[in-house]
Amino acid sequence: MAEASFWQELETLLGARLVRTKADCDLHGRSETWFTPTPPEAVAYPQSTEEVAALTKICNAHRVPVVGWGAGTSLEGHALAVQGGIVVDFRHMNKVLETHPEDRLVRVQPGLTRQELNTDLRATGLFFPVDPGANASLGGMAATRASGTTTVRYGSMRDNVAALEVVLADGRVIRTGSGAAKSASGYDLTALMLGSEGTLGLITELTLRLHAQPEAISSAVCAFDTLEAAVETVQMVMQMGIPMARIEFVDEEIACVFNKMNGSSLPEKPHLMIEFHGSDASVAEASARFGEVVTDMGGADFQWATTTEDRNRLWKMRHGAYSACLAARPGCMGLVTDVCVPMSRLAEAVAKGRAMLDAAGLTAPILGHVGDGNFHAIVLLDRDNAAELQKAKDVAHDLAHMALDMGGTITGEHGIGMGKRYMMSEEHGAAWSVMGAIKMALDPHNILNPGKIVPAPGEAC
Amino acid sequence: MAEASFWQELETLLGARLVRTKADCDLHGRSETWFTPTPPEAVAYPQSTEEVAALTKICNAHRVPVVGWGAGTSLEGHALAVQGGIVVDFRHMNKVLETHPEDRLVRVQPGLTRQELNTDLRATGLFFPVDPGANASLGGMAATRASGTTTVRYGSMRDNVAALEVVLADGRVIRTGSGAAKSASGYDLTALMLGSEGTLGLITELTLRLHAQPEAISSAVCAFDTLEAAVETVQMVMQMGIPMARIEFVDEEIACVFNKMNGSSLPEKPHLMIEFHGSDASVAEASARFGEVVTDMGGADFQWATTTEDRNRLWKMRHGAYSACLAARPGCMGLVTDVCVPMSRLAEAVAKGRAMLDAAGLTAPILGHVGDGNFHAIVLLDRDNAAELQKAKDVAHDLAHMALDMGGTITGEHGIGMGKRYMMSEEHGAAWSVMGAIKMALDPHNILNPGKIVPAPGEAC
């Protein structure tokens, strides 16, 4: 527990925007998944970069942990204050600061959510494409290097953040990147901050790359008799270079959940959910080529979403899959796996994953951003069954291990957080200690989201 | 000068592949541009990662600088051993190690050049798109975060390197990245190494992303009466989202050089050189839309390159612009500027740049990857005219300053090297010291390409 002078300094800075009630600390001590709640000692609600900088400087001087908080939607417990300290909730820093349609750039604050941004952009003919399932904050998405259904075409946060403003551990404010389309000027600190999960700095401003609303959009679902046929179709489509804007897999269990929770009428089979963006001619061409592959692979039951409303309903359903699965089995909690493998290994990986989950006797529908080689199992767990949770963790570990053996990664998009730090050494070898050296250089007192990503001070690696 | 035991250790390791002749050192002490030659004390020609690791370990123990050398084509003196030491020439590490067409990945050694790689890939239907003018080595291109004429469509090295093997200052070997299309696993060390210009590690292996040869390609040049009309056309085309694979500007002086040196018959006017990639239908559609914009902007004199040979001739001519300009004025040397600005400021930036160069009385044709907002002036200088060189440096500085004022960057693609380190603080402010802290953490004895990019130990920043 920090000393009294620390709290005085922080209260002088933030006044009523420093909250130490149990209720607020508890709210900021929970995650969307199975991790044990760990409430912080206080929640700060800064209104400006200057306040974040001053707050961090005080915390650094008193060696008190600082953990950023966006929308609280991460799936690996990134924002849990596992070593106590202050959670910095960015909800008041949620403005669109400046839109540059002619440069396809927008400058925003970190607490803004992706849906709020796209609502704001509606009149410009532009949009921000990265769409993790949840309506996450853009700061959080940057901190976790998030991606989503459109990454197969538009890339992830790595590709769509042009510049950042970041508060460092000692309270200094830096700017990374520029408004240019590219740069060869020194170390790529923007990329270094993306995915650093708040361990190297607190993101206080983002300049994001926007894309033109496509002239034509075409979406559909189609069904397959087997998981293998659906995933092999994806491999084939990607190898043929058919330009997909989205290509998502959901298994038959999820199709059932969709029917039950969303009133859809999908066959109880594995499905692909797809979308094409482009000119009228290019979308028609891509759809036709895709249709041919599906037919060859025994797929059928195409349902085209022809109106904007139908399309929105389709992707809302897809994005709501996690909460729908949880809601379909009241009282349960979820553990979501997140491996990503080279495209050539995808069908094998999904089939092996299915077999591992089945062998463990777990209820675990599979879905994924299969155009990226990335898939998830949503393991549905009884809250009070410790043995079941352990089984789920064991399979998640085996899946991650399999991904490494195939030349892939232990996390495609959810990040490291609490759940995967113990596997960092296995994935990165000596490179993990390089991450630790960088952390130590930028945050020598280890106040920024301690206990995440890097080796702890003194930990063997 | 290093001690005798150092040389003994290095000779034991490399035998005849450690060369200390004046001729070889002189060859590795030169750059493609105006910097004063600074020969290293020896040139090493390693054959394996293990040799690079052992060499670096020895150099680290003896505090001897180590500087990587690819094809020697950089334009900012990156590979000059300005503090003495060893130049590591990667020419023997030039193999294609493994091609994975189904994952569109290839694993290569750093000494391989981009043209050698594309020759090797010819039968696969895939290609590696990043094409700086010179036939650079892929290791060098990664180290400088290079880009080129196709970056507007396929991205730069930042977008096309999936994974690296890197030898650190202490001789440890790390692997960054994976074979997956994306990852959220820890700090993005791949991105950190790209553009670090050999100051954080020596790249000993690269896994590169490949692209499918397009079904249809269409290339052309067209002429404009004024520089402004040509560059405004680019802004318009980019804002309309016409999918360009290449869109390059060359001014009337370069058109004349092309006619003189390559036997082309271009009007003596500013030109755009363009290319479309896609399906037959999409290329036809994009060409037609582009043609309409050009006509509206008063452009004309379209010359279409209809055969593969014509197309290759066109881009060979473009890539040879620097050497053609030098050759057209025998005995001169070049200083090449390299700013990159947000697209909305491009026409203004090029016009201001032209005016600045003219006001200084310099011969300096302008060309650029204008689809990225990136343009160069090739300042042609009398080798013995120190005053002219100073004038050129002054204008280069003013141009870089202008780019910063416009929200751009001091270097779009050539990097920092010798010529722009003094401007790093101006572009990056406090972020420059963060780069210095990272350098110090990974290379505490400052042996890796010392004198480049970061603040020197103890330097105010």
Side-chain angles (χ1 to χ4, degrees):
Chain A
M1 179 62 81
E3 58 206 297
S5 67
F6 167 75
W7 294 110
Q8 281 161 14
E9 287 175 54
L10 221 52
E11 270 159 18
T12 304
L13 176 70
L14 295 168
R17 288 180 291 98
L18 182 76
V19 180
R20 300 173 67 182
T21 62
K22 183 170 185 311
D24 216 354
C25 289
D26 281 352
L27 270 177
H28 290 83
R30 290 183 204 156
S31 79
E32 294 266 319
T33 178
W34 59 273
F35 301 103
T36 309
T38 51
E41 295 161 61
V43 184
Y45 296 91
Q47 289 182 323
S48 66
T49 299
E50 293 67 34
E51 279 188 357
V52 177
L55 175 163
T56 308
K57 201 169 177 180
I58 294 168
C59 288
N60 195 45
H62 291 270
R63 315 289 190 252
V64 174
V66 180
V67 183
W69 185 281
T73 55
S74 94
L75 291 172
E76 291 291 351
H78 298 77
L80 293 181
V82 290
Q83 299 184 15
I86 309 299
V87 158
V88 180
D89 185 321
F90 284 100
R91 73 177 57 191
H92 298 314
M93 292 177 67
N94 67 341
K95 310 290 178 300
V96 176
L97 298 173
E98 207 173 359
T99 310
H100 297 280
E102 69 290 4
D103 291 320
R104 298 197 176 170
L105 294 173
V106 65
R107 210 154 56 80
V108 304
Q109 289 186 307
L112 188 76
T113 71
R114 64 181 184 86
Q115 287 176 4
E116 288 166 352
L117 174 60
N118 279 324
T119 301
D120 188 90
L121 290 171
R122 211 171 272 167
T124 63
L126 301 171
F127 76 110
F128 184 70
V130 187
D131 67 335
N135 184 22
S137 73
L138 292 157
M141 287 166 64
T144 53
R145 200 155 70 229
S147 54
T149 64
T150 61
T151 296
V152 65
R153 171 160 181 147
Y154 298 97
S156 71
M157 290 304 277
R158 184 181 194 278
D159 309 292
N160 288 289
V161 178
L164 293 171
E165 180 188 76
V166 180
V167 170
L168 301 176
D170 59 9
R172 281 182 302 159
V173 181
I174 63 167
R175 287 189 167 271
T176 73
S178 78
K182 65 183 187 184
S183 171
S185 179
Y187 303 167
D188 190 344
L189 297 183
T190 307
L192 183 65
M193 290 295 164
L194 297 174
S196 67
E197 302 184 3
T199 63
L200 296 178
L202 291 164
I203 296 168
T204 47
E205 196 186 296
L206 305 90
T207 302
L208 303 172
R209 298 196 192 283
L210 304 175
H211 298 262
Q213 290 281 2
E215 182 186 315
I217 303 180
S218 173
S219 310
V221 288
C222 56
F224 294 81
D225 287 331
T226 64
L227 175 152
E228 286 76 11
V231 182
E232 279 165 18
T233 299
V234 177
Q235 281 186 213
M236 207 168 292
V237 164
M238 295 305 295
Q239 276 178 29
M240 289 170 66
I242 300 178
M244 311 301 299
R246 288 166 152 153
I247 180 162
E248 296 284 309
F249 169 78
V250 295
D251 72 5
E252 64 271 35
E253 287 182 68
I254 296 193
C256 294
V257 168
F258 284 165
N259 290 344
K260 181 176 167 189
M261 306 302 288
N262 301 91
S264 58
S265 55
L266 302 173
E268 298 191 354
K269 289 179 174 185
H271 282 76
L272 294 180
M273 306 173 76
I274 49 135
E275 189 163 280
F276 304 97
H277 291 179
S279 64
D280 288 323
S282 68
V283 163
E285 192 181 15
S287 307
R289 289 178 69 197
F290 180 78
E292 284 165 22
V293 180
V294 170
T295 307
D296 284 351
M297 296 297 292
D301 300 303
F302 263 97
Q303 296 188 20
W304 290 92
T306 44
T307 66
T308 306
E309 291 69 35
D310 284 349
R311 216 163 48 228
N312 289 346
R313 202 173 303 125
L314 182 70
W315 295 112
K316 198 175 166 192
M317 185 165 83
R318 166 63 188 87
H319 282 136
Y322 180 50
S323 49
C325 285
L326 291 178
R329 192 175 159 179
C332 77
M333 64 179 184
L335 180 153
V336 189
T337 70
D338 173 41
V339 297
C340 193
V341 298
M343 192 52 60
S344 63
R345 309 298 296 272
L346 182 64
E348 181 192 353
V350 176
K352 278 192 179 169
R354 180 72 278 157
M356 285 163 164
L357 293 156
D358 291 345
L362 294 165
T363 303
I366 288 179
L367 77 177
H369 311 308
V370 277
D372 307 325
N374 180 208
F375 68 96
H376 311 296
I378 301 176
V379 190
L380 296 170
L381 300 166
D382 185 336
R383 283 196 177 275
D384 304 314
N385 189 336
E388 197 181 39
L389 175 59
Q390 190 53 52
K391 255 193 231 168
K393 287 192 208 175
D394 290 345
V395 177
H397 175 87
D398 292 344
L399 273 164
H401 203 93
M402 173 193 75
L404 293 181
D405 284 345
M406 290 180 171
T409 176
I410 60 173
T411 167
E413 55 180 8
H414 293 170
I416 299 304
M418 296 293 297
K420 288 182 173 154
R421 205 185 68 93
Y422 81 99
M423 288 195 74
M424 287 294 281
S425 169
E426 198 170 345
E427 173 159 1
H428 299 287
W432 192 39
S433 71
V434 171
M435 297 182 201
I438 293 169
K439 163 75 170 174
M440 191 73 86
L442 301 195
D443 178 18
H445 303 308
N446 195 26
I447 65 152
L448 294 175
N449 207 1
K452 310 291 168 62
I453 293 195
V454 292
E459 182 177 358
C461 60
Chain B
M1 180 61 81
E3 57 206 301
S5 67
F6 167 76
W7 293 110
Q8 280 160 16
E9 288 176 52
L10 221 53
E11 270 159 17
T12 305
L13 176 71
L14 295 168
R17 287 179 291 98
L18 181 75
V19 180
R20 299 173 68 180
T21 62
K22 182 170 185 309
D24 216 353
C25 291
D26 281 352
L27 269 177
H28 290 83
R30 291 183 204 157
S31 79
E32 293 267 319
T33 177
W34 59 273
F35 302 103
T36 309
T38 51
E41 294 161 63
V43 184
Y45 296 90
Q47 289 182 323
S48 67
T49 299
E50 292 67 34
E51 279 188 357
V52 177
L55 175 162
T56 308
K57 202 170 176 180
I58 295 169
C59 288
N60 194 45
H62 290 271
R63 314 291 191 252
V64 173
V66 180
V67 183
W69 184 280
T73 55
S74 94
L75 291 172
E76 291 290 351
H78 299 77
L80 293 181
V82 290
Q83 298 185 16
I86 310 297
V87 158
V88 180
D89 185 321
F90 284 100
R91 73 177 56 192
H92 298 314
M93 291 176 69
N94 66 342
K95 311 289 179 299
V96 176
L97 298 173
E98 208 173 358
T99 309
H100 296 281
E102 69 290 4
D103 290 320
R104 297 197 178 169
L105 293 173
V106 66
R107 210 155 56 80
V108 304
Q109 290 185 306
L112 188 76
T113 71
R114 64 181 185 89
Q115 288 176 3
E116 288 165 352
L117 173 60
N118 279 325
T119 300
D120 189 271
L121 291 171
R122 211 171 272 168
T124 62
L126 301 171
F127 76 111
F128 183 70
V130 187
D131 67 335
N135 184 21
S137 73
L138 291 156
M141 287 167 63
T144 53
R145 200 155 69 229
S147 54
T149 65
T150 62
T151 295
V152 66
R153 171 159 182 149
Y154 298 97
S156 71
M157 290 304 278
R158 184 181 193 279
D159 309 292
N160 289 288
V161 178
L164 294 172
E165 180 188 76
V166 180
V167 170
L168 301 176
D170 59 9
R172 281 183 304 159
V173 180
I174 62 167
R175 287 189 168 271
T176 73
S178 79
K182 65 183 187 184
S183 171
S185 179
Y187 302 167
D188 190 344
L189 297 183
T190 307
L192 182 65
M193 290 294 165
L194 296 175
S196 67
E197 302 184 4
T199 62
L200 296 178
L202 290 165
I203 296 168
T204 47
E205 196 184 296
L206 306 90
T207 302
L208 302 172
R209 299 197 191 284
L210 305 175
H211 297 262
Q213 289 282 2
E215 182 187 315
I217 303 180
S218 172
S219 310
V221 288
C222 56
F224 293 80
D225 286 332
T226 64
L227 175 153
E228 286 76 11
V231 182
E232 280 165 18
T233 299
V234 177
Q235 281 186 214
M236 206 165 294
V237 164
M238 295 305 294
Q239 276 178 28
M240 289 170 67
I242 301 177
M244 311 300 300
R246 288 166 153 153
I247 181 163
E248 296 283 311
F249 169 78
V250 293
D251 72 5
E252 65 270 36
E253 287 182 69
I254 296 193
C256 294
V257 167
F258 285 164
N259 290 344
K260 182 175 165 189
M261 306 301 288
N262 301 91
S264 58
S265 54
L266 302 171
E268 298 192 355
K269 289 180 174 184
H271 282 75
L272 293 180
M273 306 173 76
I274 50 137
E275 190 163 278
F276 305 97
H277 292 178
S279 65
D280 287 324
S282 69
V283 163
E285 191 181 14
S287 307
R289 288 177 71 196
F290 181 78
E292 284 165 22
V293 181
V294 170
T295 306
D296 284 352
M297 295 298 292
D301 300 303
F302 264 96
Q303 296 188 18
W304 290 91
T306 43
T307 66
T308 307
E309 291 67 37
D310 285 349
R311 214 164 51 227
N312 289 347
R313 203 172 302 125
L314 182 70
W315 296 112
K316 198 174 165 191
M317 185 165 83
R318 166 63 188 86
H319 282 136
Y322 180 50
S323 48
C325 285
L326 291 178
R329 193 174 157 178
C332 77
M333 65 179 182
L335 179 154
V336 189
T337 70
D338 173 41
V339 296
C340 192
V341 298
M343 193 52 62
S344 63
R345 309 298 295 271
L346 181 64
E348 181 192 351
V350 176
K352 278 192 178 168
R354 179 73 276 155
M356 286 153 103
L357 292 156
D358 290 346
L362 294 165
T363 303
I366 288 178
L367 77 178
H369 310 309
V370 277
D372 308 324
N374 181 208
F375 69 96
H376 312 295
I378 301 174
V379 190
L380 297 171
L381 299 166
D382 185 334
R383 282 194 179 276
D384 304 314
N385 188 335
E388 198 181 37
L389 176 59
Q390 190 53 51
K391 255 193 232 169
K393 287 192 208 175
D394 290 345
V395 176
H397 176 87
D398 292 344
L399 273 165
H401 204 92
M402 173 192 74
L404 293 182
D405 285 344
M406 290 180 172
T409 177
I410 60 174
T411 167
E413 57 180 7
H414 292 170
I416 299 303
M418 297 293 299
K420 288 183 174 154
R421 204 184 68 94
Y422 81 101
M423 287 195 77
M424 286 295 280
S425 171
E426 198 170 344
E427 173 158 2
H428 300 286
W432 193 40
S433 70
V434 171
M435 298 182 200
I438 293 169
K439 163 74 171 177
M440 191 73 84
L442 300 195
D443 178 18
H445 303 306
N446 195 26
I447 66 153
L448 294 175
N449 208 1
K452 311 291 167 66
I453 292 195
V454 292
E459 181 177 357
C461 61

